Amino acid sequence: NSSGLSQINSPILIVFDSFEEIQYRASREELANFFSFIREISEKIPRIRPVFVGRSEISESLEDFKFENLPLNEFDSDSVMALLENYGINDPSLRIKIFKIFGGNPLLLLLASNLVLKDPEALNDGNQISEKKEEYLIGRILDHVHDSEVRQVAVPGMMVRRITPNVIQHVLAVPCGLGVINETKAKKIFDELAKEVALISKSVENKEIVFRQDLRLACENMIKTKHPQATTEINRLAIEYYKSRISEDEVYEAEYYFHLLKEGKNPELLTHDVYMRLRMKLESAVIELPSNSKLHVRSLIGSKVEQRIVDETADIEWAKYYIPQIKQGLNGNLDFIQNIEKEISRRKYGPEVVNSDFSLYLALLYQRLNKLSKSIEIVDRYFEVNETTSHFPNLAYRLRFVKAQNLEYQNKTQDAMRICTEIYMDEDFDADPFTLKKFGIMRQRLGARMKIGSMSGDRIMWGRELYPIDDFADLTWLNLINESKTSDFLNLENFDAAKLNVLSQHKDLFGLESLCRQLLGVYLKDVILAGEFEIVLQDLLYVLESRGLIHGPVR
């Protein structure tokens, strides 16, 4: 406990190893909460020194939690000597020779050690070896595999993760040059391959072995270069094989998606729910995927990816990745969406991104940051790319609503009313009921502001429970539609008076939080999307107005 730790005068080092696993699995919000937790502990126990170790940069940054990045380079000479001695290389001159040829790369040092222990003369031609280190090591390791058919299966068969006798028979045999083989021969090759500890590692699944991932990652480009036709054929056969057995086991289903993703294909059937079900069988393989597939997988669960990978990806996959990030941000906090906006603003994207849900959520992002002109610009750009027709898709209606919202925030009441009336009175309206109701409520509210009186044409009864058509919880509107107690809105004079009354006592987001707790008994995040003060204030007033709580003075 903290009282016990307070008696310790020396710094306390806490190391979070393999932190990339948390980054890959956690959403932005979960990471933000985790870092906030670490910050709170650090404030209570100042001598704590947290250190995060991982293969990916920590790109999350909170205003009060910064990181000092210290890249871990290859091992230096002393470290290599100690490591090689630990691996069983007892001859000091041999340790020096290994270091001169292979440097401080841990994987190459391990492979070189395994090779030298089998063949002390293996490193005689150091100059030639240094030019193609990985290729040389793999070649020499294979030379020490006594079974020629096992050697053939290992390279290029390493392109398949999980190996069983059936995989050898139906996926690897022909591309690896063994021709058509029977079950008995496949089982014999499998049993011999399982003995090659330098090539394979144990699997958590029964009756299979797994090619070592570090070896696969180090040698994949070399194998593809030397065996381009075979590697392409192996992946094609693997997809066919696992697809035919999806119904038998989730392992087969996971491998089917893995090989599709390896080809850079992003299967529509791999939804968020499917990935979460298969996550334990797929997660460890994400590091092997090409950038666009890696980004696709992360977009399914809304977790972070290194910025380098994000920047390398094609426009449409980049946009798909950021949609769940924006959704989380809007239901997160202000720091969160400010960071997302900085990332997104670095990229120029093409019309195929404009013509997608990304435009909607980007317009909402700028709206919440009180960059209303920019938000309107995003909406207008959509309609420039998609020439306006008499029949709008649902996305177009939702974008028009965001524009109307922006105009209302800017006090351009008549312009906002014009959009609402045009859309709400459209007999061919083809959007979802939730969007229709939002137009209706805004139209009634704007009418009250303008003292027009009751608005006609309300096609949905007040108080009926309605929800968004996707997984995005538009909190303000969920509350306005489903939790409202009145449809009597204030005229502009009374609304502005109520707003000034609130501003006289609550001048920042902390003040609005206190008011929300006082009048509604909940936190702001439970009823209002994240945003700048002016936008959150306006939304909170809308919610209070719908509950009949600002007819009189607000205390």
Side-chain angles (χ1 to χ4, degrees), residues 254-284:
E255 291 308 292
Y256 168 66
Y257 287 122
F258 168 73
H259 283 281
L260 283 176
L261 291 165
K262 280 290 285 183
E263 283 196 344
K265 298 176 181 177
N266 298 325
E268 292 183 4
L269 292 176
L270 185 58
T271 62
H272 167 83
D273 292 341
V274 171
Y275 184 80
M276 296 306 291
R277 175 168 55 80
L278 300 175
R279 190 168 184 175
M280 294 302 293
K281 297 175 175 62
L282 272 174
E283 190 70 32
S284 63

PDB file of all heavy atoms in Angstrom, residues 254-284:
ATOM      1  N   ALA A 254      -9.806 -18.838 -38.283  1.00  0.00           N
ATOM      2  CA  ALA A 254      -8.802 -17.804 -38.035  1.00  0.00           C
ATOM      3  C   ALA A 254      -7.699 -17.839 -39.089  1.00  0.00           C
ATOM      4  O   ALA A 254      -7.262 -16.791 -39.588  1.00  0.00           O
ATOM      5  CB  ALA A 254      -8.204 -17.984 -36.643  1.00  0.00           C
ATOM      6  N   GLU A 255      -7.272 -19.033 -39.459  1.00  0.00           N
ATOM      7  CA  GLU A 255      -6.209 -19.142 -40.466  1.00  0.00           C
ATOM      8  C   GLU A 255      -6.695 -18.709 -41.847  1.00  0.00           C
ATOM      9  O   GLU A 255      -5.935 -18.144 -42.638  1.00  0.00           O
ATOM     10  CB  GLU A 255      -5.682 -20.572 -40.523  1.00  0.00           C
ATOM     11  CG  GLU A 255      -4.911 -20.984 -39.288  1.00  0.00           C
ATOM     12  CD  GLU A 255      -3.802 -20.003 -38.935  1.00  0.00           C
ATOM     13  OE1 GLU A 255      -2.812 -19.903 -39.695  1.00  0.00           O
ATOM     14  OE2 GLU A 255      -3.935 -19.314 -37.907  1.00  0.00           O
ATOM     15  N   TYR A 256      -7.953 -18.957 -42.126  1.00  0.00           N
ATOM     16  CA  TYR A 256      -8.540 -18.502 -43.394  1.00  0.00           C
ATOM     17  C   TYR A 256      -8.438 -16.976 -43.497  1.00  0.00           C
ATOM     18  O   TYR A 256      -7.959 -16.427 -44.498  1.00  0.00           O
ATOM     19  CB  TYR A 256      -9.994 -18.957 -43.484  1.00  0.00           C
ATOM     20  CG  TYR A 256     -10.792 -18.310 -44.592  1.00  0.00           C
ATOM     21  CD1 TYR A 256     -10.482 -18.548 -45.928  1.00  0.00           C
ATOM     22  CD2 TYR A 256     -11.862 -17.469 -44.293  1.00  0.00           C
ATOM     23  CE1 TYR A 256     -11.216 -17.945 -46.952  1.00  0.00           C
ATOM     24  CE2 TYR A 256     -12.599 -16.868 -45.309  1.00  0.00           C
ATOM     25  CZ  TYR A 256     -12.273 -17.112 -46.634  1.00  0.00           C
ATOM     26  OH  TYR A 256     -12.999 -16.521 -47.637  1.00  0.00           O
ATOM     27  N   TYR A 257      -8.844 -16.278 -42.443  1.00  0.00           N
ATOM     28  CA  TYR A 257      -8.782 -14.823 -42.458  1.00  0.00           C
ATOM     29  C   TYR A 257      -7.335 -14.334 -42.452  1.00  0.00           C
ATOM     30  O   TYR A 257      -7.000 -13.331 -43.100  1.00  0.00           O
ATOM     31  CB  TYR A 257      -9.558 -14.242 -41.283  1.00  0.00           C
ATOM     32  CG  TYR A 257     -11.050 -14.349 -41.430  1.00  0.00           C
ATOM     33  CD1 TYR A 257     -11.828 -15.023 -40.486  1.00  0.00           C
ATOM     34  CD2 TYR A 257     -11.694 -13.795 -42.527  1.00  0.00           C
ATOM     35  CE1 TYR A 257     -13.201 -15.125 -40.634  1.00  0.00           C
ATOM     36  CE2 TYR A 257     -13.066 -13.891 -42.687  1.00  0.00           C
ATOM     37  CZ  TYR A 257     -13.810 -14.565 -41.734  1.00  0.00           C
ATOM     38  OH  TYR A 257     -15.177 -14.664 -41.895  1.00  0.00           O
ATOM     39  N   PHE A 258      -6.476 -15.047 -41.734  1.00  0.00           N
ATOM     40  CA  PHE A 258      -5.062 -14.664 -41.697  1.00  0.00           C
ATOM     41  C   PHE A 258      -4.464 -14.648 -43.106  1.00  0.00           C
ATOM     42  O   PHE A 258      -3.794 -13.691 -43.502  1.00  0.00           O
ATOM     43  CB  PHE A 258      -4.268 -15.616 -40.802  1.00  0.00           C
ATOM     44  CG  PHE A 258      -2.778 -15.478 -40.935  1.00  0.00           C
ATOM     45  CD1 PHE A 258      -2.115 -14.377 -40.404  1.00  0.00           C
ATOM     46  CD2 PHE A 258      -2.026 -16.440 -41.608  1.00  0.00           C
ATOM     47  CE1 PHE A 258      -0.735 -14.242 -40.536  1.00  0.00           C
ATOM     48  CE2 PHE A 258      -0.659 -16.309 -41.744  1.00  0.00           C
ATOM     49  CZ  PHE A 258       0.001 -15.207 -41.207  1.00  0.00           C
ATOM     50  N   HIS A 259      -4.705 -15.685 -43.886  1.00  0.00           N
ATOM     51  CA  HIS A 259      -4.111 -15.765 -45.217  1.00  0.00           C
ATOM     52  C   HIS A 259      -4.762 -14.776 -46.193  1.00  0.00           C
ATOM     53  O   HIS A 259      -4.088 -14.264 -47.091  1.00  0.00           O
ATOM     54  CB  HIS A 259      -4.178 -17.195 -45.741  1.00  0.00           C
ATOM     55  CG  HIS A 259      -3.139 -18.087 -45.125  1.00  0.00           C
ATOM     56  ND1 HIS A 259      -1.829 -18.084 -45.522  1.00  0.00           N
ATOM     57  CD2 HIS A 259      -3.215 -18.978 -44.099  1.00  0.00           C
ATOM     58  CE1 HIS A 259      -1.143 -18.948 -44.790  1.00  0.00           C
ATOM     59  NE2 HIS A 259      -1.954 -19.496 -43.925  1.00  0.00           N
ATOM     60  N   LEU A 260      -6.040 -14.481 -46.005  1.00  0.00           N
ATOM     61  CA  LEU A 260      -6.651 -13.416 -46.807  1.00  0.00           C
ATOM     62  C   LEU A 260      -6.000 -12.072 -46.499  1.00  0.00           C
ATOM     63  O   LEU A 260      -5.667 -11.297 -47.399  1.00  0.00           O
ATOM     64  CB  LEU A 260      -8.152 -13.345 -46.533  1.00  0.00           C
ATOM     65  CG  LEU A 260      -9.053 -14.397 -47.174  1.00  0.00           C
ATOM     66  CD1 LEU A 260     -10.489 -14.211 -46.702  1.00  0.00           C
ATOM     67  CD2 LEU A 260      -9.002 -14.312 -48.707  1.00  0.00           C
ATOM     68  N   LEU A 261      -5.815 -11.805 -45.218  1.00  0.00           N
ATOM     69  CA  LEU A 261      -5.206 -10.546 -44.801  1.00  0.00           C
ATOM     70  C   LEU A 261      -3.753 -10.459 -45.261  1.00  0.00           C
ATOM     71  O   LEU A 261      -3.262  -9.377 -45.599  1.00  0.00           O
ATOM     72  CB  LEU A 261      -5.295 -10.398 -43.287  1.00  0.00           C
ATOM     73  CG  LEU A 261      -6.712 -10.189 -42.722  1.00  0.00           C
ATOM     74  CD1 LEU A 261      -6.738 -10.427 -41.217  1.00  0.00           C
ATOM     75  CD2 LEU A 261      -7.232  -8.800 -43.048  1.00  0.00           C
ATOM     76  N   LYS A 262      -3.058 -11.589 -45.277  1.00  0.00           N
ATOM     77  CA  LYS A 262      -1.675 -11.603 -45.746  1.00  0.00           C
ATOM     78  C   LYS A 262      -1.576 -11.170 -47.206  1.00  0.00           C
ATOM     79  O   LYS A 262      -0.577 -10.612 -47.639  1.00  0.00           O
ATOM     80  CB  LYS A 262      -1.068 -12.999 -45.589  1.00  0.00           C
ATOM     81  CG  LYS A 262      -0.608 -13.335 -44.200  1.00  0.00           C
ATOM     82  CD  LYS A 262       0.625 -12.547 -43.781  1.00  0.00           C
ATOM     83  CE  LYS A 262       1.884 -13.065 -44.448  1.00  0.00           C
ATOM     84  NZ  LYS A 262       3.091 -12.334 -43.975  1.00  0.00           N
ATOM     85  N   GLU A 263      -2.621 -11.462 -47.985  1.00  0.00           N
ATOM     86  CA  GLU A 263      -2.653 -11.042 -49.384  1.00  0.00           C
ATOM     87  C   GLU A 263      -3.057  -9.582 -49.540  1.00  0.00           C
ATOM     88  O   GLU A 263      -3.144  -9.068 -50.656  1.00  0.00           O
ATOM     89  CB  GLU A 263      -3.622 -11.923 -50.181  1.00  0.00           C
ATOM     90  CG  GLU A 263      -3.073 -13.290 -50.527  1.00  0.00           C
ATOM     91  CD  GLU A 263      -3.878 -13.970 -51.623  1.00  0.00           C
ATOM     92  OE1 GLU A 263      -5.012 -13.537 -51.894  1.00  0.00           O
ATOM     93  OE2 GLU A 263      -3.354 -14.932 -52.198  1.00  0.00           O
ATOM     94  N   GLY A 264      -3.344  -8.927 -48.432  1.00  0.00           N
ATOM     95  CA  GLY A 264      -3.780  -7.538 -48.509  1.00  0.00           C
ATOM     96  C   GLY A 264      -5.268  -7.387 -48.741  1.00  0.00           C
ATOM     97  O   GLY A 264      -5.761  -6.290 -48.986  1.00  0.00           O
ATOM     98  N   LYS A 265      -6.014  -8.497 -48.661  1.00  0.00           N
ATOM     99  CA  LYS A 265      -7.462  -8.448 -48.823  1.00  0.00           C
ATOM    100  C   LYS A 265      -8.103  -8.237 -47.450  1.00  0.00           C
ATOM    101  O   LYS A 265      -7.699  -8.851 -46.476  1.00  0.00           O
ATOM    102  CB  LYS A 265      -7.974  -9.748 -49.447  1.00  0.00           C
ATOM    103  CG  LYS A 265      -7.426 -10.026 -50.835  1.00  0.00           C
ATOM    104  CD  LYS A 265      -7.900 -11.383 -51.351  1.00  0.00           C
ATOM    105  CE  LYS A 265      -7.342 -11.665 -52.730  1.00  0.00           C
ATOM    106  NZ  LYS A 265      -7.734 -13.010 -53.224  1.00  0.00           N
ATOM    107  N   ASN A 266      -9.116  -7.398 -47.419  1.00  0.00           N
ATOM    108  CA  ASN A 266      -9.805  -7.112 -46.162  1.00  0.00           C
ATOM    109  C   ASN A 266     -11.236  -7.638 -46.255  1.00  0.00           C
ATOM    110  O   ASN A 266     -12.143  -6.943 -46.715  1.00  0.00           O
ATOM    111  CB  ASN A 266      -9.788  -5.615 -45.873  1.00  0.00           C
ATOM    112  CG  ASN A 266      -8.371  -5.095 -45.716  1.00  0.00           C
ATOM    113  OD1 ASN A 266      -7.503  -5.800 -45.203  1.00  0.00           O
ATOM    114  ND2 ASN A 266      -8.118  -3.882 -46.177  1.00  0.00           N
ATOM    115  N   PRO A 267     -11.445  -8.893 -45.850  1.00  0.00           N
ATOM    116  CA  PRO A 267     -12.739  -9.560 -46.062  1.00  0.00           C
ATOM    117  C   PRO A 267     -13.881  -8.901 -45.303  1.00  0.00           C
ATOM    118  O   PRO A 267     -13.752  -8.587 -44.115  1.00  0.00           O
ATOM    119  CB  PRO A 267     -12.487 -10.986 -45.534  1.00  0.00           C
ATOM    120  CG  PRO A 267     -11.316 -10.856 -44.612  1.00  0.00           C
ATOM    121  CD  PRO A 267     -10.479  -9.749 -45.148  1.00  0.00           C
ATOM    122  N   GLU A 268     -15.003  -8.688 -46.003  1.00  0.00           N
ATOM    123  CA  GLU A 268     -16.167  -8.064 -45.382  1.00  0.00           C
ATOM    124  C   GLU A 268     -16.739  -8.918 -44.254  1.00  0.00           C
ATOM    125  O   GLU A 268     -17.335  -8.406 -43.312  1.00  0.00           O
ATOM    126  CB  GLU A 268     -17.243  -7.801 -46.436  1.00  0.00           C
ATOM    127  CG  GLU A 268     -16.857  -6.738 -47.462  1.00  0.00           C
ATOM    128  CD  GLU A 268     -17.979  -6.456 -48.441  1.00  0.00           C
ATOM    129  OE1 GLU A 268     -19.074  -7.033 -48.253  1.00  0.00           O
ATOM    130  OE2 GLU A 268     -17.773  -5.668 -49.381  1.00  0.00           O
ATOM    131  N   LEU A 269     -16.574 -10.248 -44.369  1.00  0.00           N
ATOM    132  CA  LEU A 269     -17.127 -11.142 -43.344  1.00  0.00           C
ATOM    133  C   LEU A 269     -16.360 -11.047 -42.026  1.00  0.00           C
ATOM    134  O   LEU A 269     -16.863 -11.478 -40.989  1.00  0.00           O
ATOM    135  CB  LEU A 269     -17.110 -12.592 -43.840  1.00  0.00           C
ATOM    136  CG  LEU A 269     -18.064 -12.913 -44.994  1.00  0.00           C
ATOM    137  CD1 LEU A 269     -17.870 -14.358 -45.449  1.00  0.00           C
ATOM    138  CD2 LEU A 269     -19.510 -12.674 -44.584  1.00  0.00           C
ATOM    139  N   LEU A 270     -15.146 -10.481 -42.072  1.00  0.00           N
ATOM    140  CA  LEU A 270     -14.386 -10.312 -40.835  1.00  0.00           C
ATOM    141  C   LEU A 270     -14.846  -9.019 -40.161  1.00  0.00           C
ATOM    142  O   LEU A 270     -14.225  -7.969 -40.273  1.00  0.00           O
ATOM    143  CB  LEU A 270     -12.886 -10.271 -41.119  1.00  0.00           C
ATOM    144  CG  LEU A 270     -11.971 -10.214 -39.884  1.00  0.00           C
ATOM    145  CD1 LEU A 270     -12.204 -11.405 -38.977  1.00  0.00           C
ATOM    146  CD2 LEU A 270     -10.510 -10.128 -40.299  1.00  0.00           C
ATOM    147  N   THR A 271     -15.960  -9.110 -39.461  1.00  0.00           N
ATOM    148  CA  THR A 271     -16.546  -7.964 -38.768  1.00  0.00           C
ATOM    149  C   THR A 271     -15.952  -7.841 -37.367  1.00  0.00           C
ATOM    150  O   THR A 271     -15.163  -8.690 -36.925  1.00  0.00           O
ATOM    151  CB  THR A 271     -18.066  -8.134 -38.660  1.00  0.00           C
ATOM    152  OG1 THR A 271     -18.331  -9.320 -37.878  1.00  0.00           O
ATOM    153  CG2 THR A 271     -18.698  -8.282 -40.036  1.00  0.00           C
ATOM    154  N   HIS A 272     -16.354  -6.795 -36.673  1.00  0.00           N
ATOM    155  CA  HIS A 272     -15.903  -6.602 -35.290  1.00  0.00           C
ATOM    156  C   HIS A 272     -16.234  -7.821 -34.437  1.00  0.00           C
ATOM    157  O   HIS A 272     -15.372  -8.331 -33.699  1.00  0.00           O
ATOM    158  CB  HIS A 272     -16.574  -5.354 -34.708  1.00  0.00           C
ATOM    159  CG  HIS A 272     -16.423  -5.228 -33.220  1.00  0.00           C
ATOM    160  ND1 HIS A 272     -15.301  -4.702 -32.626  1.00  0.00           N
ATOM    161  CD2 HIS A 272     -17.251  -5.587 -32.194  1.00  0.00           C
ATOM    162  CE1 HIS A 272     -15.440  -4.737 -31.314  1.00  0.00           C
ATOM    163  NE2 HIS A 272     -16.605  -5.260 -31.023  1.00  0.00           N
ATOM    164  N   ASP A 273     -17.465  -8.308 -34.528  1.00  0.00           N
ATOM    165  CA  ASP A 273     -17.880  -9.433 -33.690  1.00  0.00           C
ATOM    166  C   ASP A 273     -17.097 -10.704 -34.016  1.00  0.00           C
ATOM    167  O   ASP A 273     -16.722 -11.460 -33.114  1.00  0.00           O
ATOM    168  CB  ASP A 273     -19.386  -9.693 -33.849  1.00  0.00           C
ATOM    169  CG  ASP A 273     -20.221  -8.574 -33.260  1.00  0.00           C
ATOM    170  OD1 ASP A 273     -19.689  -7.802 -32.428  1.00  0.00           O
ATOM    171  OD2 ASP A 273     -21.405  -8.446 -33.635  1.00  0.00           O
ATOM    172  N   VAL A 274     -16.866 -10.933 -35.322  1.00  0.00           N
ATOM    173  CA  VAL A 274     -16.117 -12.130 -35.725  1.00  0.00           C
ATOM    174  C   VAL A 274     -14.682 -12.035 -35.222  1.00  0.00           C
ATOM    175  O   VAL A 274     -14.137 -13.001 -34.667  1.00  0.00           O
ATOM    176  CB  VAL A 274     -16.140 -12.307 -37.262  1.00  0.00           C
ATOM    177  CG1 VAL A 274     -15.188 -13.420 -37.688  1.00  0.00           C
ATOM    178  CG2 VAL A 274     -17.549 -12.614 -37.733  1.00  0.00           C
ATOM    179  N   TYR A 275     -14.076 -10.858 -35.370  1.00  0.00           N
ATOM    180  CA  TYR A 275     -12.689 -10.710 -34.921  1.00  0.00           C
ATOM    181  C   TYR A 275     -12.581 -10.911 -33.410  1.00  0.00           C
ATOM    182  O   TYR A 275     -11.643 -11.567 -32.930  1.00  0.00           O
ATOM    183  CB  TYR A 275     -12.129  -9.345 -35.307  1.00  0.00           C
ATOM    184  CG  TYR A 275     -10.668  -9.223 -34.942  1.00  0.00           C
ATOM    185  CD1 TYR A 275      -9.688  -9.776 -35.759  1.00  0.00           C
ATOM    186  CD2 TYR A 275     -10.264  -8.604 -33.763  1.00  0.00           C
ATOM    187  CE1 TYR A 275      -8.351  -9.710 -35.414  1.00  0.00           C
ATOM    188  CE2 TYR A 275      -8.933  -8.536 -33.411  1.00  0.00           C
ATOM    189  CZ  TYR A 275      -7.978  -9.089 -34.238  1.00  0.00           C
ATOM    190  OH  TYR A 275      -6.659  -9.036 -33.877  1.00  0.00           O
ATOM    191  N   MET A 276     -13.518 -10.356 -32.664  1.00  0.00           N
ATOM    192  CA  MET A 276     -13.465 -10.507 -31.214  1.00  0.00           C
ATOM    193  C   MET A 276     -13.602 -11.972 -30.810  1.00  0.00           C
ATOM    194  O   MET A 276     -12.975 -12.424 -29.851  1.00  0.00           O
ATOM    195  CB  MET A 276     -14.552  -9.660 -30.551  1.00  0.00           C
ATOM    196  CG  MET A 276     -14.389  -8.164 -30.754  1.00  0.00           C
ATOM    197  SD  MET A 276     -12.761  -7.529 -30.260  1.00  0.00           S
ATOM    198  CE  MET A 276     -12.872  -7.740 -28.473  1.00  0.00           C
ATOM    199  N   ARG A 277     -14.404 -12.705 -31.554  1.00  0.00           N
ATOM    200  CA  ARG A 277     -14.560 -14.145 -31.264  1.00  0.00           C
ATOM    201  C   ARG A 277     -13.272 -14.903 -31.569  1.00  0.00           C
ATOM    202  O   ARG A 277     -12.925 -15.859 -30.856  1.00  0.00           O
ATOM    203  CB  ARG A 277     -15.727 -14.694 -32.083  1.00  0.00           C
ATOM    204  CG  ARG A 277     -15.921 -16.197 -31.972  1.00  0.00           C
ATOM    205  CD  ARG A 277     -17.245 -16.638 -32.557  1.00  0.00           C
ATOM    206  NE  ARG A 277     -17.444 -16.215 -33.929  1.00  0.00           N
ATOM    207  CZ  ARG A 277     -16.908 -16.842 -34.990  1.00  0.00           C
ATOM    208  NH1 ARG A 277     -16.130 -17.899 -34.814  1.00  0.00           N
ATOM    209  NH2 ARG A 277     -17.156 -16.405 -36.217  1.00  0.00           N
ATOM    210  N   LEU A 278     -12.550 -14.487 -32.605  1.00  0.00           N
ATOM    211  CA  LEU A 278     -11.338 -15.192 -33.024  1.00  0.00           C
ATOM    212  C   LEU A 278     -10.064 -14.533 -32.504  1.00  0.00           C
ATOM    213  O   LEU A 278      -8.962 -14.956 -32.851  1.00  0.00           O
ATOM    214  CB  LEU A 278     -11.276 -15.232 -34.556  1.00  0.00           C
ATOM    215  CG  LEU A 278     -12.425 -15.914 -35.292  1.00  0.00           C
ATOM    216  CD1 LEU A 278     -12.262 -15.749 -36.797  1.00  0.00           C
ATOM    217  CD2 LEU A 278     -12.500 -17.396 -34.928  1.00  0.00           C
ATOM    218  N   ARG A 279     -10.216 -13.532 -31.669  1.00  0.00           N
ATOM    219  CA  ARG A 279      -9.087 -12.666 -31.338  1.00  0.00           C
ATOM    220  C   ARG A 279      -7.896 -13.423 -30.752  1.00  0.00           C
ATOM    221  O   ARG A 279      -6.745 -13.160 -31.103  1.00  0.00           O
ATOM    222  CB  ARG A 279      -9.547 -11.596 -30.355  1.00  0.00           C
ATOM    223  CG  ARG A 279      -8.517 -10.495 -30.136  1.00  0.00           C
ATOM    224  CD  ARG A 279      -9.126  -9.331 -29.407  1.00  0.00           C
ATOM    225  NE  ARG A 279      -8.176  -8.241 -29.268  1.00  0.00           N
ATOM    226  CZ  ARG A 279      -8.457  -7.056 -28.762  1.00  0.00           C
ATOM    227  NH1 ARG A 279      -9.683  -6.788 -28.378  1.00  0.00           N
ATOM    228  NH2 ARG A 279      -7.547  -6.124 -28.648  1.00  0.00           N
ATOM    229  N   MET A 280      -8.145 -14.373 -29.864  1.00  0.00           N
ATOM    230  CA  MET A 280      -7.046 -15.093 -29.243  1.00  0.00           C
ATOM    231  C   MET A 280      -6.250 -15.899 -30.265  1.00  0.00           C
ATOM    232  O   MET A 280      -5.080 -16.214 -30.047  1.00  0.00           O
ATOM    233  CB  MET A 280      -7.580 -16.012 -28.146  1.00  0.00           C
ATOM    234  CG  MET A 280      -8.198 -15.282 -26.971  1.00  0.00           C
ATOM    235  SD  MET A 280      -7.038 -14.131 -26.187  1.00  0.00           S
ATOM    236  CE  MET A 280      -5.856 -15.283 -25.506  1.00  0.00           C
ATOM    237  N   LYS A 281      -6.866 -16.241 -31.377  1.00  0.00           N
ATOM    238  CA  LYS A 281      -6.199 -17.042 -32.406  1.00  0.00           C
ATOM    239  C   LYS A 281      -5.600 -16.180 -33.518  1.00  0.00           C
ATOM    240  O   LYS A 281      -4.798 -16.677 -34.307  1.00  0.00           O
ATOM    241  CB  LYS A 281      -7.184 -18.053 -33.000  1.00  0.00           C
ATOM    242  CG  LYS A 281      -7.690 -19.071 -31.973  1.00  0.00           C
ATOM    243  CD  LYS A 281      -8.744 -19.983 -32.566  1.00  0.00           C
ATOM    244  CE  LYS A 281      -9.133 -21.073 -31.560  1.00  0.00           C
ATOM    245  NZ  LYS A 281      -9.731 -20.509 -30.343  1.00  0.00           N
ATOM    246  N   LEU A 282      -5.979 -14.924 -33.578  1.00  0.00           N
ATOM    247  CA  LEU A 282      -5.495 -14.042 -34.641  1.00  0.00           C
ATOM    248  C   LEU A 282      -4.548 -12.957 -34.146  1.00  0.00           C
ATOM    249  O   LEU A 282      -3.686 -12.488 -34.889  1.00  0.00           O
ATOM    250  CB  LEU A 282      -6.676 -13.366 -35.342  1.00  0.00           C
ATOM    251  CG  LEU A 282      -7.321 -14.098 -36.514  1.00  0.00           C
ATOM    252  CD1 LEU A 282      -8.553 -13.347 -36.994  1.00  0.00           C
ATOM    253  CD2 LEU A 282      -6.337 -14.268 -37.667  1.00  0.00           C
ATOM    254  N   GLU A 283      -4.708 -12.554 -32.898  1.00  0.00           N
ATOM    255  CA  GLU A 283      -4.024 -11.354 -32.405  1.00  0.00           C
ATOM    256  C   GLU A 283      -2.508 -11.435 -32.566  1.00  0.00           C
ATOM    257  O   GLU A 283      -1.856 -10.473 -32.978  1.00  0.00           O
ATOM    258  CB  GLU A 283      -4.389 -11.111 -30.945  1.00  0.00           C
ATOM    259  CG  GLU A 283      -3.938  -9.778 -30.404  1.00  0.00           C
ATOM    260  CD  GLU A 283      -4.712  -8.621 -31.000  1.00  0.00           C
ATOM    261  OE1 GLU A 283      -5.892  -8.804 -31.321  1.00  0.00           O
ATOM    262  OE2 GLU A 283      -4.132  -7.534 -31.148  1.00  0.00           O
ATOM    263  N   SER A 284      -1.930 -12.588 -32.238  1.00  0.00           N
ATOM    264  CA  SER A 284      -0.476 -12.703 -32.289  1.00  0.00           C
ATOM    265  C   SER A 284       0.069 -12.602 -33.707  1.00  0.00           C
ATOM    266  O   SER A 284       1.260 -12.356 -33.902  1.00  0.00           O
ATOM    267  CB  SER A 284      -0.032 -14.031 -31.660  1.00  0.00           C
ATOM    268  OG  SER A 284      -0.545 -15.123 -32.407  1.00  0.00           O
TER     269      SER A 284
END
